[in-house]
Amino acid sequence: MDTQDNDAVRPSTALTVQDAIAAAQTQTAPSEAVAPQPAAPAQPKPTAPKTIGRTIVITSGKGGVGKTTTTANLGTGLAEAGKQVVVVDADVGLRNLDVVLGLENRVHKHLLDVIEQTSTLDEALVRDRVRRSLYLLPAAQNREKDDVPTDAMAALVQSLAERFDYVLIDSPAGIEKGFRNAVIGAKEAIVVTTPEVSAVRDADRIIGLLPPGVEAKLIVNRVRPALVKKGTMMSVTDVVDILRLELIGVVPDEKEIIIATNRGTPVIDIDGSQTGAAFRRIVKRLLGEQIPIPSFQAPEGFVSRLKASLRLGRS
Amino acid sequence: MPGTVYVVTSGKGGVGKTTTTANLGGAFAKLGHKVALVDADIGLRNLDLVLGLEKRIVYDLVDLVEGRCQPRQALIKDRRFDDLYLLPASQVKDKEAVTEDQMRIAMRKLAVDFDVVLVDCPAGIEHGFRNAIAGADQALVVTTPEVSAIRDADRILGMLGRRRARLIVNRVRPEMVRSGDMLSIEDVKEILGREIVGVVPDDEEIIDTTNRGEPVVLDGARRLGRIYNAIARRLLGEDVPFTNLADDGLFTRLRRLVIGS
């Protein structure tokens, strides 16, 4: 626990859940006390008032497709672009975002402590040592997802949006309470999938479970161009065609990602990594830049099979 | 004597539970056992796709526990094997549609008719996980040599109660272990403190066979087919050496680790 770092984020008064719930309910402009202006100038935000940050849930349905890695890398990239960023680990009981960011030894308090008011938000936030505008709100490891009241989670995300330019929420796998809590406060969603039939089918299922009004975009992760060319992997075009979401990024598969995760260094910071470069492009797209996305071809076959299975699943 | 019910679980998603369930089931069936595979991932089923049986689903696990059908109506026979059946999950219901007691009863009934029942557990530690482990006698914990997967495996090992739990280390890349970029099997065993019953290398074939719905174990000549066959035999009590990765340099390590100890 690094109190010095936490002191550094204490321009605001201690934030309680009552404050947060009240703020969420009244929908009024945030007071100076709970919403200090971030150091960096706020980027124009198309769908929200100037002082409210973007709230984006990173979700997938299927586990192990790269939600946590995506959250860590986009959070890092946005912070390096000068934004005030908080990444929220919503995987209560199976947290990993702290490990991927290399912050696990500094986790002291967590999201549930804040919701249950045994800790203030400032006590729970862990500030990254390198990217000073990046903060982690860790998940509790010894608690259950059912312990988090959905209303309180929505209010917490809302209060974070008043303080930060970007609130990125790392969703757990599945479609149970943990998923519902992760998506409840978000205005936007990034759906992460891989070009595999099971991942695409699960993505299709959760897209249908996102709350109405959530704007969803797609990242196709772990693409292996060699396999696509060989015809043993679906192409990005196939995936987009099936899921019908706006594509915000394509991330190639690389062993660097395993190394980066094991070391707790986001791959976005590794020079020469294709994966890192792909995440840097996604960050720029999130910031509004127009950057073309590469695409690969694959034959039909399993694509038609998957489409048929989705029709069966919906019937 | 009733068969053994194994839950195939991991904590973390995407480490290979469903692939392991499908291939291990195929391996048991090829060894002459009567096998039922149960997809406990209600709402996010995938075992049917991995087995290529998705078009043949009529009834599912929820129908069965609610008494809307008989076991033989819900169980889909995989015609490529002598005695391999799939009990699919419902895609439209959610995990609360089934209780732990219902699962316990359903698995006990299956164990009367089958030698081996493999329950494919959903990711996470919520209701779906508790349902999947409820009726299981033993657990197979699938992990990969990555810090996040191992941390999650450690967490769920503590939630399995008194069930015997053994490890399958999946997606091992020997060249990365050698270069120090990946945890070794030794490391995994030391951290998790459980018996390792299988080591499966990372292999592009899995992506291909999953996308086509043809379990890799169908072809016994393939390296992965041999590896799943060896895991099944170890679970049946045979002493099968870990010889498959010998050319990768892992063999000496594994020998010291598993056979030598």
Side-chain angles (χ1 to χ4, degrees):
Chain A
M1 176 63 195
D2 190 330
T3 40
Q4 211 180 358
D5 275 358
N6 282 309
D7 286 338
V9 279
R10 201 165 286 156
S12 70
T13 58
L15 185 76
T16 66
V17 170
Q18 270 86 11
D19 294 338
I21 291 170
Q25 282 168 346
T26 55
Q27 295 284 319
T28 51
S31 70
E32 283 298 314
V34 292
Q37 284 300 311
Q43 192 79 357
K45 289 159 196 100
T47 53
K50 204 181 173 193
T51 50
I52 301 289
R54 288 171 71 176
T55 48
I56 307 174
V57 61
I58 289 87
T59 186
S60 67
K62 184 161 158 54
V65 300
K67 288 178 296 297
T68 303
T69 302
T70 300
T71 307
N73 280 288
L74 297 185
T76 301
L78 287 164
E80 285 169 357
K83 299 295 168 191
Q84 293 284 319
V85 183
V86 61
V87 289
V88 180
D89 192 341
D91 203 348
V92 176
L94 290 176
R95 71 175 180 215
N96 275 317
L97 187 53
D98 55 327
V99 170
V100 175
L101 286 167
L103 297 174
E104 71 275 13
N105 292 329
R106 294 174 51 211
V107 172
H108 181 57
K109 300 288 183 179
H110 49 70
L111 186 149
L112 257 169
D113 291 325
V114 178
I115 282 175
E116 293 173 348
Q117 298 181 60
T118 56
S119 146
T120 64
L121 179 60
D122 289 319
E123 285 169 332
L125 287 171
V126 182
R127 187 178 195 180
D128 193 274
R129 283 190 201 280
V130 184
R131 307 129 201 121
R132 302 299 286 170
S133 63
L134 176 65
Y135 296 84
L136 165 70
L137 182 56
Q141 183 70 343
N142 295 310
R143 298 289 299 272
E144 295 199 14
K145 284 159 179 105
D146 288 344
D147 295 342
V148 184
T150 304
D151 292 353
M153 187 69 190
L156 178 67
V157 172
Q158 173 67 23
S159 68
L160 288 169
E162 289 165 6
R163 257 182 91 158
F164 291 92
D165 298 325
Y166 283 85
V167 182
L168 304 183
I169 304 148
D170 184 19
S171 162
I175 51 177
E176 298 189 68
K177 178 85 183 263
F179 164 77
R180 293 195 294 273
N181 278 342
V183 300
I184 188 71
K187 301 257 192 308
E188 299 172 60
I190 290 179
V191 176
V192 183
T193 191
T194 62
E196 287 161 275
V197 287
S198 46
V200 174
R201 192 201 232 185
D202 288 0
D204 179 69
R205 178 91 169 102
I206 64 120
I207 290 165
L209 294 171
L210 290 172
V214 170
E215 189 192 328
K217 294 197 170 75
L218 182 69
I219 288 180
V220 184
N221 196 19
R222 296 235 194 91
V223 175
R224 301 194 191 184
L227 290 192
V228 175
K229 285 195 185 106
K230 240 164 77 180
T232 54
M233 184 176 260
M234 258 184 260
S235 74
V236 172
T237 316
D238 297 330
V239 177
V240 173
D241 186 40
I242 292 165
L243 296 177
R244 298 179 301 273
L245 287 187
E246 184 191 329
L247 186 66
I248 194 169
V250 176
V251 183
D253 194 25
E254 234 184 10
K255 73 172 183 180
E256 272 71 18
I257 203 84
I258 299 176
I259 300 173
T261 302
N262 282 340
R263 291 194 186 146
T265 313
V267 71
I268 197 166
D269 281 347
I270 297 178
D271 284 338
S273 160
Q274 293 284 310
T275 310
F279 281 121
R280 283 194 288 276
R281 288 194 293 270
I282 296 170
V283 167
K284 286 181 179 163
R285 288 183 199 114
L286 276 174
L287 293 169
E289 283 185 48
Q290 298 288 319
I291 296 166
I293 297 171
S295 132
F296 309 98
Q297 296 300 314
E300 274 291 300
F302 40 73
V303 178
S304 52
R305 189 177 147 239
L306 176 61
K307 284 178 184 166
S309 110
L310 294 178
R311 278 193 290 275
L312 287 167
R314 280 168 183 154
S315 63
Chain B
M1 194 177 118
T4 307
V5 181
Y6 296 94
V7 60
V8 181
T9 184
S10 67
K12 185 161 158 55
V15 299
K17 285 179 297 300
T18 303
T19 305
T20 302
T21 305
N23 284 293
L24 209 46
F28 275 118
K30 286 185 125 190
L31 290 166
H33 294 266
K34 194 171 178 190
V35 183
L37 306 180
V38 179
D39 191 342
D41 203 349
I42 298 170
L44 289 176
R45 71 179 179 207
N46 276 317
L47 188 53
D48 56 324
L49 270 183
V50 172
L51 289 164
L53 298 174
E54 72 276 7
K55 287 181 188 150
R56 293 177 50 207
I57 297 176
V58 180
Y59 293 103
D60 57 50
L61 176 64
V62 179
D63 296 320
L64 181 69
V65 300
E66 290 182 351
R68 277 194 297 272
C69 68
Q70 292 301 311
R72 67 186 145 72
Q73 291 175 292
L75 287 160
I76 303 164
K77 185 177 190 319
D78 188 333
R79 300 190 189 102
R80 298 164 298 189
F81 298 89
D82 286 338
D83 258 326
L84 182 67
Y85 294 81
L86 167 68
L87 177 56
S90 163
Q91 182 70 345
V92 288
K93 298 281 175 47
D94 59 33
K95 271 132 187 136
E96 281 91 9
V98 176
T99 67
E100 291 176 54
D101 279 341
Q102 286 175 321
M103 281 298 283
R104 233 172 258 127
I105 294 163
M107 294 308 108
R108 201 177 303 147
K109 282 185 185 161
L110 281 178
V112 172
D113 292 324
F114 291 89
D115 303 318
V116 177
V117 179
L118 296 175
V119 183
D120 184 18
C121 180
I125 48 176
E126 298 186 73
H127 292 282
F129 167 77
R130 292 196 292 272
N131 282 340
I133 68 168
D137 307 310
Q138 296 192 31
L140 299 172
V141 175
V142 182
T143 190
T144 62
E146 287 161 273
V147 285
S148 46
I150 288 172
R151 194 198 224 186
D152 288 0
D154 181 60
R155 177 91 169 98
I156 63 132
L157 279 168
M159 301 178 80
L160 290 169
R162 290 160 64 186
R163 291 173 188 87
R164 182 175 188 187
R166 283 173 279 184
L167 304 175
I168 294 176
V169 187
N170 200 17
R171 294 227 203 97
V172 177
R173 299 194 191 188
E175 82 287 355
M176 285 182 72
V177 175
R178 268 198 305 273
S179 62
D181 289 323
M182 183 174 262
L183 294 170
S184 70
I185 307 304
E186 253 169 346
D187 298 333
V188 175
K189 185 181 158 78
E190 196 186 312
I191 295 165
L192 295 177
R194 301 294 173 119
E195 182 192 342
I196 291 174
V197 77
V199 176
V200 184
D202 192 36
D203 194 322
E204 285 181 356
E205 263 187 10
I206 285 291
I207 296 177
D208 184 23
T209 54
T210 301
N211 279 339
R212 285 190 285 116
E214 291 174 11
V216 68
V217 76
L218 273 173
D219 184 351
R222 287 181 174 185
R223 176 172 74 147
L224 286 179
R226 291 199 307 271
I227 287 171
Y228 285 111
N229 174 277
I231 297 172
R233 284 163 56 208
R234 281 182 208 117
L235 289 171
L236 293 167
E238 264 187 67
D239 186 11
V240 186
F242 287 76
T243 51
N244 290 306
L245 299 179
D247 55 332
D248 297 316
L250 268 181
F251 177 61
T252 41
R253 283 200 133 120
L254 283 168
R255 199 178 171 78
R256 233 183 307 137
L257 182 73
V258 183
I259 306 160
S261 64

